[in-house]
Amino acid sequence: EKAPQADDKARNSRPRFLRRHLRRVFLQSRHEADLRHGGLHAQALRQNRPRPAPVNAMIKPDAERRAFAFRRNSVTSSKCIIDLPRGRPYNHGENTQKEQDMNTPFRYDYVGSFLRPAALKQARADFQNGAIDAEALKAVEDEAIRDLVAKQKAAGYHVITDGEFRRATWHLDFMWGLDGVAHENTGNGVKFDAELAVLDDTYLVGKIKAKAHPFVEYFKFLKQFEDENTVAKYTIPAPAQTFQQMIVPDNIANTRKFYPTNEELIQDIGKAYQDVIKQFYDAGCRNLQLDDCTWGAIVGDAAKQRYKALGISLEDVKKELLAVNNLALEGKPEDMVITSHICRGNYHSTFFT
């Protein structure tokens, strides 16, 4: 009886900061062990059962691996649009609803764009050359997406995407699905670090409005592959990306024919996105990702010098990008998670900024 008392006295005589530190170390080690074993240890202890054998969560896609899923709380502030992890592991309770807990981003996740298979690249080239029709191209796309989803599930991911396999580019195709936007292949493009990315000229021919967007139909095809362990995520360019496309030096003069001010352009882009987001929601989409390369183009000394040479305030540019993104999220359904991916751009593994 004396030994435990002595231990307690010695333990309590430690400085408070040391006791707190040791407790943090203990809790962290227990948390890491719980993650390594798919969250099963804590569950077993609660239910007074023997601890289970370790589970390789990256290879064995079973229901218990959902312990890795972390929910996010979408946050829109006057400064930025962010998605913060709530830091709460998946709830194993019997009343857990998939719609509430299976949301992106998960403990391990990915952007959603994948390298196109050779067969898909050949089919797209054949379509552009008139060798096959749209239906034949779609059949190849469907098969490529099925194969990709199977690989994503086999790897143990909780999110599935179509790899953006139905697009010529990651961003412009979405803009072509809006009223008032046209495109043409003129051989021009965008200069990346190592090469020129040949892209269709994309510009306005009228006011921007939403219509039945083809991406929503693409999502419906993907959604059929959801199961108890996975949810479908769809990616679209951020509103700021569409806004930036219409005010680049090559487009600004044409854009001014329809929008005398940037504020008017921002209003129409934001409203169009609100409509498209609702279309996705009505189609069953609860996980949407806004891909945004505009932020990478406004940081660093090079950006300051570039905008200064154009006579444009960089701070005003930031405010406009924030305004159009925030406007698009107004009225977002509460149970729809919208995240943002920001990068430096990518073309053949070269960067834009």
Side-chain angles (χ1 to χ4, degrees):
E1 294 180 358
K2 292 183 179 180
Q5 293 176 358
D7 290 343
D8 290 342
K9 183 177 180 181
R11 183 165 55 248
N12 292 331
S13 66
R14 294 167 180 161
R16 179 177 297 179
F17 77 89
L18 180 58
R19 295 201 303 271
R20 289 178 176 175
H21 171 71
L22 292 174
R23 178 169 174 76
R24 283 197 300 268
V25 171
F26 168 73
L27 292 176
Q28 179 66 22
S29 62
R30 187 172 65 179
H31 175 65
E32 290 176 353
D34 194 42
L35 287 180
R36 284 197 299 272
H37 300 295
L40 296 176
H41 278 217
Q43 184 183 15
L45 291 174
R46 286 196 301 270
Q47 299 178 1
N48 195 27
R49 294 187 287 102
R51 294 184 179 183
V55 175
N56 187 337
M58 294 300 292
I59 297 177
K60 291 184 65 177
D62 55 40
E64 294 296 348
R65 255 195 6 268
R66 288 178 291 179
F68 285 82
F70 282 78
R71 298 181 60 190
R72 283 204 174 190
N73 180 27
S74 294
V75 177
T76 304
S77 72
S78 59
K79 294 292 185 182
C80 59
I81 303 170
I82 56 177
D83 289 276
L84 297 175
R86 300 179 71 173
R88 185 168 63 192
Y90 185 83
N91 181 1
H92 288 275
E94 294 180 358
N95 295 327
T96 298
Q97 296 181 5
K98 176 181 175 182
E99 291 79 4
Q100 295 178 352
D101 294 285
M102 292 292 286
N103 286 322
T104 58
F106 294 103
R107 182 65 176 83
Y108 44 92
D109 212 325
Y110 50 80
V111 174
S113 181
F114 286 78
L115 294 176
R116 277 59 170 168
L120 178 57
K121 290 192 288 186
Q122 183 61 52
R124 187 167 294 279
D126 290 344
F127 173 72
Q128 292 174 343
N129 295 329
I132 62 174
D133 60 15
E135 284 301 315
L137 173 61
K138 182 180 182 300
V140 177
E141 292 171 342
D142 289 352
E143 186 61 28
I145 292 169
R146 289 190 187 94
D147 290 344
L148 175 63
V149 170
K151 291 177 181 178
Q152 291 166 347
K153 290 183 176 182
Y157 287 105
H158 295 296
V159 62
I160 56 175
T161 75
D162 65 1
E164 301 180 355
F165 283 176
R166 300 193 193 276
R167 313 181 198 182
T169 65
W170 68 271
H171 60 320
L172 297 180
D173 293 52
F174 176 86
M175 301 176 198
W176 303 341
L178 299 172
D179 262 343
V181 179
H183 62 103
E184 181 183 4
N185 184 355
T186 62
N188 295 326
V190 176
K191 181 66 172 67
F192 277 67
D193 179 61
E195 62 179 302
L196 178 72
V198 178
L199 306 173
D200 280 15
D201 293 350
T202 300
Y203 48 87
L204 295 181
V205 291
K207 294 279 191 176
I208 291 181
K209 296 179 182 178
K211 58 183 178 180
H213 204 287
F215 277 30
V216 177
E217 294 303 314
Y218 301 164
F219 169 78
K220 291 178 181 178
F221 179 84
L222 175 66
K223 185 174 175 60
Q224 67 177 308
F225 302 113
E226 286 184 334
D227 56 29
E228 68 276 7
N229 293 319
T230 57
V231 293
K233 175 179 75 172
Y234 218 75
T235 63
I236 63 174
Q241 196 74 44
T242 299
F243 170 70
Q244 193 71 18
Q245 175 66 30
M246 304 310 167
I247 63 169
V248 293
D250 288 345
N251 275 344
I252 188 64
N254 178 70
T255 297
R256 285 293 177 253
K257 298 176 184 177
F258 309 99
Y259 293 101
T261 66
N262 284 355
E263 176 58 30
E264 294 173 275
L265 177 61
I266 287 172
Q267 288 297 315
D268 276 4
I269 292 176
K271 291 176 182 177
Y273 267 80
Q274 289 175 10
D275 189 297
V276 174
I277 288 173
K278 185 178 184 303
Q279 291 181 40
F280 273 107
Y281 184 83
D282 291 343
C285 179
R286 297 296 181 269
N287 295 273
L288 190 66
Q289 178 177 294
L290 305 180
D291 293 333
D292 201 340
C293 292
T294 60
W295 302 102
I298 61 172
V299 296
D301 293 336
K304 293 179 181 178
Q305 295 173 7
R306 182 170 64 254
Y307 279 101
K308 184 177 180 180
L310 294 172
I312 301 174
S313 167
L314 191 55
E315 292 305 312
D316 289 343
V317 172
K318 295 176 183 178
K319 291 177 182 178
E320 290 175 335
L321 299 179
L322 290 169
V324 69
N325 278 354
N326 285 333
L327 177 59
L329 293 185
E330 288 186 7
K332 178 189 76 69
E334 288 296 326
D335 59 337
M336 188 179 196
V337 175
I338 300 182
T339 57
S340 183
H341 161 68
I342 299 172
C343 72
R344 304 171 65 192
N346 175 53
Y347 183 77
H348 290 170
S349 298
T350 65
F351 60 85
F352 176 67
T353 59

